[in-house]
Amino acid sequence: MALSLKCRSVICCRVTPSQKAEVTNAVKQATGQITLGIGDGANDVAMIRAANVGVGISGREGLQAVYSADYAIGQFRFLARLLLVHGSWNLSRVCKLILYSFYKNIVLYVIELWFATVTAFSGQAGFERWSLSLYNLLFTAAPPMMLGLFDRACSAEMLLDNPELYSEQWGAVFNVRLFWFWIGSAIWHSLVLFWLTYFTFRHETLWENGKSDGGGFCFANILFTYVVVRRKFL
């Protein structure tokens, strides 16, 4: 195994399907790295399933490999584009989507904590329950969807011409420092949104005629609108 890991390529000749899986498992245990298995026939199924990521090629030997794989491609030459382009885009999109999901929910629900400080911790909810229920389902559904479908840090041509970009982005798009930066930003934005709104409307004079129809319900909906609009233009 030590000798094999020093080689650029290793050929295992005349091995059985179970032995292919054993080789894959041995590499996983020895290196602790993510392995990829690719094949086009039924004899590759065990290896594909043993690998962390399985890629099946729909060829002349049937679709057994495709049915057992995580991803399917038509020809082997598509593997580079699958990994370097779509793999890179997907990694960036998923990481940004996770961070954004944490961010937008922390902004909303930490505001409830600030609201409790001005209601003597009575347990009264700051937002109306339908607003809370539809926050992720309707009001802030578009930005994560657009981010997860269309975000592209680099063009496909650039990623194919510079394969090293794939490995370089692993520690750049998601790390501990970046995670806590988003968490800190969410708490800071919740502070600004709540207290700015609170001190603006604390005297309950909301309209030009001097009336303050709505009370706490009106204040909560104005604040909720600010939260949603802020998420749209982040």
Side-chain angles (χ1 to χ4, degrees):
M1 180 60 67
L3 177 62
S4 299
L5 295 176
K6 294 181 180 180
C7 301
R8 292 178 59 89
S9 301
V10 178
I11 299 177
C12 302
C13 183
R14 295 190 179 276
V15 294
T16 64
S18 61
Q19 288 174 329
K20 292 183 180 181
E22 291 174 359
V23 170
T24 304
N25 287 322
V27 174
K28 288 169 57 178
Q29 295 175 4
T31 63
Q33 300 295 320
I34 298 175
T35 58
L36 181 145
I38 179 169
D40 61 351
N43 59 336
D44 298 317
V45 170
M47 175 190 65
I48 291 174
R49 291 181 176 178
N52 296 105
V53 180
V55 178
I57 303 176
S58 54
R60 298 179 179 179
E61 298 188 29
L63 298 176
Q64 291 88 343
V66 171
Y67 293 150
S68 303
D70 300 299
Y71 302 95
I73 55 179
Q75 299 179 23
F76 186 81
R77 62 187 179 90
F78 297 146
L79 181 61
R81 188 174 183 86
L82 174 66
L83 296 177
L84 301 179
V85 178
H86 296 288
S88 180
W89 286 346
N90 185 67
L91 175 63
S92 177
R93 291 168 180 172
V94 170
C95 291
K96 291 179 180 178
L97 185 60
I98 292 173
L99 293 172
Y100 181 78
S101 297
F102 273 102
Y103 169 84
K104 69 187 183 74
N105 283 284
I106 289 174
V107 169
L108 179 70
Y109 290 103
V110 170
I111 285 179
E112 293 281 9
L113 176 62
W114 311 140
F115 184 79
T117 63
V118 298
T119 57
F121 293 94
S122 62
Q124 178 182 354
F127 300 115
E128 199 270 332
R129 61 180 182 177
W130 279 106
S131 299
L132 293 175
S133 300
L134 296 176
Y135 178 70
N136 287 302
L137 184 64
L138 178 62
F139 295 116
T140 60
M145 185 177 298
M146 297 298 102
L147 184 67
L149 291 176
F150 302 111
D151 179 70
R152 295 182 179 183
C154 299
S155 64
E157 292 75 16
M158 181 177 293
L159 291 171
L160 288 173
D161 294 337
N162 303 276
E164 62 275 5
L165 293 175
Y166 177 76
S167 58
E168 290 178 357
Q169 72 171 343
W170 277 93
V173 295
F174 193 88
N175 53 58
V176 175
R177 181 179 179 181
L178 188 61
F179 174 80
W180 286 112
F181 172 80
W182 278 79
I183 300 301
S185 298
I187 296 175
W188 167 246
H189 291 165
S190 69
L191 277 167
V192 173
L193 287 170
F194 177 80
W195 291 110
L196 184 61
T197 307
Y198 176 76
F199 286 115
T200 302
F201 300 115
R202 64 181 302 184
H203 299 296
E204 298 185 354
T205 302
L206 305 180
W207 319 119
E208 294 181 356
N209 58 11
K211 295 183 178 180
S212 56
D213 300 333
F217 179 78
C218 186
F219 165 76
N221 279 278
I222 291 174
L223 179 58
F224 184 82
T225 302
Y226 289 162
V227 173
V228 172
V229 172
R230 172 64 178 153
R231 303 290 72 72
K232 294 289 186 181
F233 294 99
L234 176 65

